[in-house]
Amino acid sequence: MSSSFQRESRLPQTRLAVISYVIVGLIGLLLFGFWRLQIVDSDRYAQLAERNRIRTIPVIAPRGSMLDRTGRVLVDNYPSFGVLLLRDDVDEVQRLLPQIADGLGLSLDDLQQQMEAAKSLPRFQPLVIKPEASPADIAFIESHRSDIPVLEMLMVHRRRYPPDGFLAHVSGYVGEVSPDEVGVSGGRYKPGDIVGKTGLEKQYNETLMGVDGQRRVIVNSVGREVGRLEQTDPVPGKPVRLTIDEDLQAVAEQDLQGKRGAVVALDPRTGDVLAMASHPAYDPNDFAVSVSKQEWQQLNEDPDRPLLNRAIQAQLAPGSMFKIFMTAAMLESKAIPADYQVFCPGWAEFYGRIFHDAEKDHGEVDLHKAIVKSCDVYFYNVGQRLGIDRISYYATKLGLGRKTNVDLPGEDSGLVPSQEWKERVFHQKWYPGETISVSIGQGATVVTPMQIAYTIGGIAMGGVFHQPHLLMSDQPGPEIDFPISESTTDFITQAMWGVVNEDGTAAASRLPGIEFCGKTGTAQVIGAEHKGEAGKQTQTKNNAWFEGFAPRRNPEIVVAVLVQAGGFGAVSAAPIAKDIVKAYYDKKQGKFQLLTTQLLPNGAPNPMRAATPAPTTVAMPIATPNAAAGAASQNVVRAPQPAGKSPAPQPASKPAAPADPAQLAPPKPAQEAPAEAAPGQTREEQ
């Protein structure tokens, strides 16, 4: 009995020892945990505690404004609010996402995708889930501060463009940066940033885009702001002054209403782009913040292709505009005597095929008359004698078949065919009959309106070609010289003067008191023999061209006009160029009634065709960017400028426009080139 009692008394001692060791171990673990919390991880937990009390909210920098050459605001900003999602507690955010999606009218799938895309970002970095908050959204956020503390409001500056697509293809639009753009930015961009997607917004994005700031605020347990700490102010983007003259732009835009086409007006002495319009155009304000998939698909599938910048991307046969290049090749190469004459009965036969002229009979034709009356038969013969390689050489040297390098993304180069080109692309030899078509600007030859303005302006300047540019500068654009003899320049400009002033093909566009010169062009989009085979939906009407400049020597303004399916160039295109040149001279003489973008809605009468307006003199101070852009926006960005050239004319102000930006960047538009006309049916002109 005694031994049994001793064993029983020893058992509690063993258990007590084990329990003591366990207690000591637990105390050791607690002490180790306290040591980690208070010594090793103290900074980390202090930061987490601080985040429960303090939030860092970005302060978005406004983009710089765009001004016209006289300082009038074309594109600016307006204040708005976005919705931020605070992601510090991911589990809490995931739990609240369905309620957030329902309250803000968002797709839960889209929110989940945004959360997934932001996984690589620090959790303390908030996510913009709705760039444009409505009054209902603001009310929802404020009324659910206690149960949805992960939502916050963000004051932003939305882009505001002129209405109705005015200047749309020049300005472009902005949108949220894509993952690919973030990846290649080298840390410059972060998800949610707004960047330029097309046009000048993209070309000069680094200048227009400011540097965001931030502010730190104290919040209570339900996320409501109760105090503010320090704030880092944003650095606004810098405004850019453009070469665009808003008044000339307004005339161009109004004249193109209801048409498919483009207008480019340049100062060939400097390369300044005075006006550039493409119609139909999209309205950048319709892209406000974001665009639905349905709207985006509709824009891309629209047969009128409003996303296409026809001024630099519509590659079309130039028609009789090409006769100016043929004339330069003929006179400069001296392969054909300058007094060469041809009898035109309205047709000619080459290589067993009949090539027609629109006129039944031009009679005896020399080079001057061939340009003034736009005689195809004359240039058929010139093309046969020059040959395709000589034609290609001079057309290329004069600027066709390559980009002008205007400061806009997406410019196309056009095409000037040659024997080498056909062998390389089609692995076929060049046939002499193809040269006949090329000689009047048909066949495989395609150009853009920008190229036509640039090249013919350079020819009128004696072979001095200034690179077109839209950023205002006190120096001319980079210069390319292909010297043309004085006699050739004088002959071509005199003949183009005759087109308008000697009962030529554009006699109806004469401007009394102005040396207005020009050349009409009417280009086929399908051969006459194939028109009967084309379906009812196929567009077979000719494209209308006109190139005009003034004065005759050393011109100050050159205007290229394209009207697709416009018929004769003299009827559809020449009056537009006439209006722009007249407006230019009226402004010089103080007779032009100053316009603003907003004064020309669709359907408004063109002041250039109204009864003679009363002369108006307006003197106003330079317009400054919207107040949202901040005082720092006053430093207008210009290209590097040497001394010696006078500044831009005295600017005038204009009211700002409504609305806002877009998000998606369009894919590069497909080439808009015409069907190649058959050699026997290549009549174009007038």
Side-chain angles (χ1 to χ4, degrees):
M1 290 292 292
S2 62
S3 62
S4 175
F5 177 79
Q6 289 176 355
R7 286 196 299 271
E8 290 177 0
S9 64
R10 284 198 296 269
L11 283 174
Q13 294 296 326
T14 304
R15 291 174 182 173
L16 286 173
V18 171
I19 292 171
S20 298
Y21 288 133
V22 171
I23 291 173
V24 170
L26 290 174
I27 292 173
L29 288 174
L30 287 172
L31 291 174
F32 177 75
F34 290 148
W35 176 75
R36 285 198 60 185
L37 286 172
Q38 297 183 15
I39 307 266
V40 178
D41 294 332
S42 61
D43 291 341
R44 174 172 173 264
Y45 288 105
Q47 289 177 5
L48 291 174
E50 184 78 355
R51 286 177 198 162
N52 289 332
R53 188 178 72 91
I54 297 176
R55 286 179 180 169
T56 300
I57 300 175
V59 181
I60 306 301
R63 288 177 72 85
S65 300
M66 294 184 191
L67 317 176
D68 90 332
R69 66 188 298 113
T70 62
R72 289 174 287 184
V73 179
L74 297 171
V75 178
D76 62 355
N77 309 288
Y78 70 93
S80 181
F81 285 96
V83 180
L84 285 180
L85 180 64
L86 307 176
R87 303 179 302 115
D88 301 75
D89 188 342
V90 176
D91 292 336
E92 178 73 1
V93 170
Q94 290 290 352
R95 184 182 69 82
L96 294 171
L97 275 187
Q99 190 176 352
I100 293 172
D102 183 62
L104 297 179
L106 299 173
S107 165
L108 181 58
D109 291 338
D110 288 345
L111 282 180
Q112 295 282 12
Q113 290 176 8
Q114 291 186 60
M115 288 290 293
E116 185 68 25
K119 273 187 174 181
S120 60
L121 301 175
R123 288 187 180 181
F124 63 83
Q125 183 173 317
L127 186 66
V128 179
I129 59 172
K130 193 165 188 180
E132 183 85 354
S134 67
D137 296 331
I138 297 173
F140 172 79
I141 294 170
E142 292 298 329
S143 63
H144 290 79
R145 285 286 186 187
S146 58
D147 53 317
I148 310 181
V150 295
L151 294 180
E152 185 60 70
M153 301 300 301
L154 173 69
M155 208 282 275
V156 294
H157 302 275
R158 298 293 172 208
R159 216 55 167 152
R160 173 164 48 197
Y161 299 95
D164 301 324
F166 185 97
L167 204 70
H169 292 95
V170 175
S171 68
Y173 58 84
V174 295
E176 186 175 337
V177 66
S178 68
D180 291 340
E181 289 171 320
V182 172
V184 300
S185 69
R188 166 69 172 159
Y189 303 147
K190 60 183 182 299
D193 281 349
I194 300 299
V195 298
K197 292 293 186 178
T198 61
L200 292 174
E201 293 279 23
K202 181 177 181 179
Q203 185 75 19
Y204 294 112
N205 182 68
E206 297 304 314
T207 299
L208 293 165
M209 189 176 179
V211 179
D212 293 344
Q214 64 178 23
R215 61 185 175 93
R216 302 180 74 216
V217 299
I218 302 172
V219 296
N220 59 19
S221 59
V222 296
R224 189 179 300 277
E225 182 179 327
V226 295
R228 293 194 177 191
L229 300 176
E230 71 274 7
Q231 174 169 319
T232 302
D233 292 331
V235 179
K238 297 177 181 178
V240 293
R241 179 168 290 181
L242 308 182
T243 59
I244 293 290
D245 184 310
E246 187 187 15
D247 300 314
L248 300 187
Q249 182 75 23
V251 175
E253 298 271 4
Q254 184 61 25
D255 278 7
L256 279 177
Q257 288 294 335
K259 303 178 178 69
R260 289 189 303 127
V263 170
V264 176
L266 302 176
D267 183 341
R269 302 168 299 177
T270 62
D272 287 3
V273 180
L274 304 177
M276 179 175 153
S278 175
H279 276 237
Y282 62 93
D283 188 342
N285 296 299
D286 291 342
F287 283 71
V289 185
S290 64
V291 62
S292 68
K293 292 181 180 179
Q294 293 77 12
E295 291 172 322
W296 181 244
Q297 183 177 5
Q298 184 179 359
L299 278 171
N300 279 278
E301 295 178 354
D302 189 328
D304 286 334
R305 306 179 71 184
L307 295 176
L308 182 73
N309 185 351
R310 287 172 165 81
I312 61 173
Q313 293 174 325
Q315 302 180 99
L316 299 166
S320 284
M321 311 288 289
F322 196 72
K323 293 172 182 176
I324 301 303
F325 300 90
M326 294 290 295
T327 301
M330 171 181 165
L331 296 178
E332 289 297 291
S333 69
K334 296 181 170 52
I336 303 173
D339 59 357
Y340 175 67
Q341 295 187 1
V342 168
F343 179 78
C344 171
W347 60 274
E349 182 177 352
F350 298 93
Y351 312 109
R353 299 193 64 175
I354 301 297
F355 292 79
H356 296 279
D357 198 313
E359 294 290 334
K360 292 183 178 180
D361 181 4
H362 281 119
E364 199 69 30
V365 181
D366 60 10
L367 182 55
H368 180 85
K369 183 179 178 181
I371 295 174
V372 172
K373 295 294 186 180
S374 200
C375 176
D376 285 348
V377 170
Y378 186 93
F379 284 98
Y380 290 152
N381 284 274
V382 170
Q384 181 190 40
R385 286 160 175 75
L386 289 177
I388 188 59
D389 285 339
R390 185 178 282 117
I391 295 171
S392 177
Y393 170 80
Y394 279 97
T396 302
K397 287 294 184 180
L398 292 171
L400 297 185
R402 64 172 185 265
K403 297 179 181 179
T404 67
N405 292 318
V406 63
D407 47 347
L408 279 177
E411 181 184 16
D412 285 322
S413 60
L415 174 67
V416 176
S418 65
Q419 292 193 68
E420 181 276 331
W421 165 80
K422 189 175 182 185
E423 290 171 359
R424 171 170 48 85
V425 175
F426 296 104
H427 308 291
Q428 298 175 359
K429 71 174 184 178
W430 183 268
Y431 293 100
E434 296 176 273
T435 306
I436 307 303
S437 297
V438 171
S439 66
I440 60 164
Q442 294 281 177
T445 308
V446 291
V447 300
T448 68
M450 177 63 76
Q451 287 178 322
I452 289 295
Y454 165 72
T455 53
I456 293 188
I459 291 172
M461 291 289 293
V464 179
F465 302 85
H466 288 290
Q467 179 179 314
H469 58 273
L470 285 150
L471 184 64
M472 193 68 177
S473 172
D474 283 342
Q475 66 176 354
E479 181 180 311
I480 296 177
D481 293 335
F482 181 66
I484 301 174
S485 67
E486 178 70 19
S487 61
T488 296
T489 303
D490 188 68
F491 185 93
I492 290 175
T493 55
Q494 185 63 40
M496 294 182 73
W497 181 88
V499 170
V500 179
N501 299 279
E502 291 181 359
D503 196 27
T505 55
S509 295
R510 185 176 306 163
L511 285 170
I514 299 174
E515 282 191 309
F516 184 37
C517 312
K519 181 69 189 80
T520 55
T522 304
Q524 286 184 327
V525 297
I526 189 171
E529 64 182 7
H530 299 294
K531 286 187 177 181
E533 304 170 7
K536 292 183 178 180
Q537 302 302 318
T538 303
Q539 173 57 55
T540 61
K541 194 173 181 180
N542 297 337
N543 292 328
W545 286 90
F546 185 80
E547 167 81 1
F549 59 84
R552 186 177 72 85
R553 295 306 308 269
N554 299 315
E556 301 173 16
I557 182 172
V558 56
V559 183
V561 180
L562 162 69
V563 179
Q564 290 181 259
F568 289 118
V571 175
S572 299
I576 298 176
K578 173 186 176 182
D579 285 348
I580 295 171
V581 171
K582 183 177 187 300
Y584 175 84
Y585 276 91
D586 283 350
K587 288 194 69 173
K588 285 185 64 175
Q589 299 165 10
K591 297 189 299 183
F592 184 76
Q593 183 175 357
L594 290 178
L595 304 174
T596 62
T597 304
Q598 289 72 31
L599 295 182
L600 282 176
N602 290 341
N606 183 344
M608 299 309 303
R609 293 178 181 170
T612 308
T616 303
T617 302
V618 178
M620 298 183 181
I622 186 167
T624 58
N626 187 288
S633 298
Q634 301 303 316
N635 299 319
V636 176
V637 175
R638 298 185 177 212
Q641 303 170 3
K645 183 155 180 160
S646 60
Q650 174 66 33
S653 67
K654 89 170 190 53
D660 106 48
Q663 192 175 35
L664 300 173
K668 180 177 177 64
Q671 170 176 314
E672 182 159 335
E676 182 172 333
Q681 285 74 30
T682 55
R683 166 63 198 154
E684 64 68 73
E685 174 340 72
Q686 259 69 315

